[in-house]
């Protein structure tokens, strides 16, 4: 397989899996077993493509929130999820996004300093996929019960904002967990009964989080001199593929969750994790 084709496939995998609750990191680590390991700069590029896609989708929403924070009209008429906010609500929402991001930054630095992370092996990723899938089923069951008892709630509480920030760090430490799955279901379990609202908050807080993580990693790469040896053609192909597929997958997901639960994603995670556990011993034996 040529480098350009491998780059294209990895970009597509990143774009599809980054915002779906099935773990982009887990899928990329698995794919690299067959397509070859990529540089840190390459991984930064495909993540940047996915960030660009989500920022384009929510560009009007982000502008409305910024205007609302400044006390100006913020109707959020172009919100992809169809959730409108008045200026006061927009200000509060923006502050909660800031709190979630701040919690992630502080805890992320602490975790980084402690050097706590799991090895990038298939076995722990497989178990994270399985356990995460089972947790999604249980979490959505209890979230549905809360929705019946409390009604449809799209508001984001301060508790949800803080827990979403913590969930992002947990997902970053355990490959295969999925940042979107962790944050969406934390929101659903702790007060936001609307799948659409929980998903939107998870995606919006992911924009500054992923931008910050990408910028941090990029500084390290530039300082180390790795960029001088990069295949820029493959990197460009992967970046474009990631951006396009992420845009399509997020647009699709926002429509899908308006009338469907996340059960299909949970089943996929469990099936993939089980298949990997069966394949890994066979591959090791071979």
């Amino acid at each position: 397989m040529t480098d350009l084709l491998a780059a294209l496939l990895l970009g597509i995998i990143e774009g599809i899996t980054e915002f779906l609750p099935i773990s982009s990191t887990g899928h990329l680590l698995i794919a690299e077993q067959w397509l070859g390991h990529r540089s840190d700069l390459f991984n930064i590029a495909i993540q940047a493509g996915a960030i660009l896609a989500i920022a384009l989708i929510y560009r009007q929403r982000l502008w409305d929130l910024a205007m609302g924070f400044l006390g100006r009209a913020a109707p959020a008429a172009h919100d992809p999820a169809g959730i409108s906010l008045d200026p006061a609500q927009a200000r509060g929402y923006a502050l909660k996004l800031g709190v979630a991001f701040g919690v992630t930054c502080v805890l992320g630095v602490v975790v980084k300093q402690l050097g706590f992370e799991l090895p990038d092996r298939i076995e722990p990723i497989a178990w994270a996929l399985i356990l995460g899938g089972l947790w999604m089923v249980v979490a959505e069951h209890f979230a549905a019960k809360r929705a019946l008892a409390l009604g449809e709630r799209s508001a984001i509480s301060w508790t949800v904002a803080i827990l979403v920030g913590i969930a992002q760090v947990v997902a970053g430490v355990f490959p295969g967990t999925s940042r979107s799955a962790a944050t969406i279901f934390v929101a659903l379990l702790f007060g936001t009964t609307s799948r659409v609202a929980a998903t939107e908050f998870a995606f919006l807080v992911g924009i500054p989080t992923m931008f910050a993580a990408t910028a941090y990693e990029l500084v390290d790469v530039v300082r180390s001199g790795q960029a001088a040896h990069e295949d820029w053609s493959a990197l460009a192909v992967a970046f474009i593929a990631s951006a396009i597929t992420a845009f399509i997958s997020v647009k699709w997901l926002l429509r899908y969750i308006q009338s469907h639960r996340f059960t299909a994603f949970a089943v996929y995670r469990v099936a993939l994790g089980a298949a990997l556990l069966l394949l890994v011993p066979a591959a090791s034996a071979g």
Side-chain angles (χ1 to χ4, degrees):
M1 182 180 295
T2 67
D3 284 344
L4 285 179
L5 180 55
L8 175 65
L9 290 175
L10 288 170
I12 291 172
I13 291 170
E14 165 67 17
I16 293 173
T17 60
E18 180 60 55
F19 295 101
L20 299 185
I22 54 178
S23 176
S24 62
T25 303
H27 280 76
L28 286 172
L29 290 174
I30 293 166
E32 286 182 352
Q33 301 292 317
W34 290 274
L35 299 176
H37 180 71
R38 298 287 150 168
S39 68
D40 291 338
L41 183 58
F42 181 91
N43 293 328
I44 290 170
I46 58 176
Q47 188 175 58
I51 301 171
L52 174 62
I54 200 76
L56 287 174
I57 290 171
Y58 283 104
R59 63 190 182 282
Q60 184 64 46
R61 179 64 148 178
L62 293 170
W63 176 258
D64 289 338
L65 289 173
M67 291 299 98
F69 186 80
L70 296 174
R72 301 179 184 178
H78 301 87
D79 175 33
I83 301 171
S84 296
L85 300 173
D86 61 34
Q89 291 172 322
R91 183 181 179 85
Y93 195 98
L95 287 172
K96 287 164 187 171
L97 284 173
V99 166
F101 173 62
V103 169
T104 298
C105 288
V106 172
L107 293 182
V109 170
V110 171
V111 168
K112 191 78 172 177
Q113 292 298 319
L114 293 175
F116 183 71
E117 60 179 316
L118 290 180
D120 295 338
R121 299 198 316 270
I122 288 184
E123 296 96 322
I125 293 171
W127 280 114
L129 286 168
I130 292 171
L131 295 175
L134 295 175
W135 179 73
M136 284 170 65
V137 172
V138 173
E140 190 152 35
H141 169 73
F142 284 106
K145 291 183 68 175
R146 286 177 62 84
L148 286 174
L150 303 175
E152 186 82 352
R153 291 190 173 185
S154 59
I156 302 295
S157 68
W158 290 104
T159 299
V160 166
I162 293 170
L163 291 176
V164 163
I166 296 172
Q168 290 198 119
V169 178
V170 173
V173 171
F174 296 95
T177 301
S178 171
R179 189 198 65 81
S180 60
T183 52
I184 290 169
F185 282 95
V186 159
L188 287 174
L189 284 171
F190 290 91
T192 305
T193 62
S194 167
R195 288 191 302 272
V196 173
T199 301
E200 178 175 274
F201 188 80
F203 284 179
L204 287 173
V205 78
I207 294 174
T209 300
M210 292 171 65
F211 265 126
T214 299
Y216 180 86
E217 293 168 0
L218 184 60
V219 169
D220 277 353
V221 167
V222 172
R223 285 178 176 173
S224 67
Q226 294 179 39
H229 309 288
E230 190 64 40
D231 182 347
W232 293 99
S233 297
L235 188 146
V237 167
F239 173 84
I240 294 170
S242 174
I244 293 173
T245 51
F247 189 93
I248 295 170
S249 65
V250 170
K251 283 285 194 178
W252 171 81
L253 181 65
L254 291 173
R255 289 193 302 269
Y256 178 83
I257 60 174
Q258 292 185 27
S259 57
H260 297 80
R261 291 190 177 190
F262 289 97
T263 308
F265 299 108
V267 172
Y268 169 78
R269 290 177 61 113
V270 172
L272 177 61
L276 289 171
L277 289 177
L278 291 172
L279 292 172
V280 168
S284 299

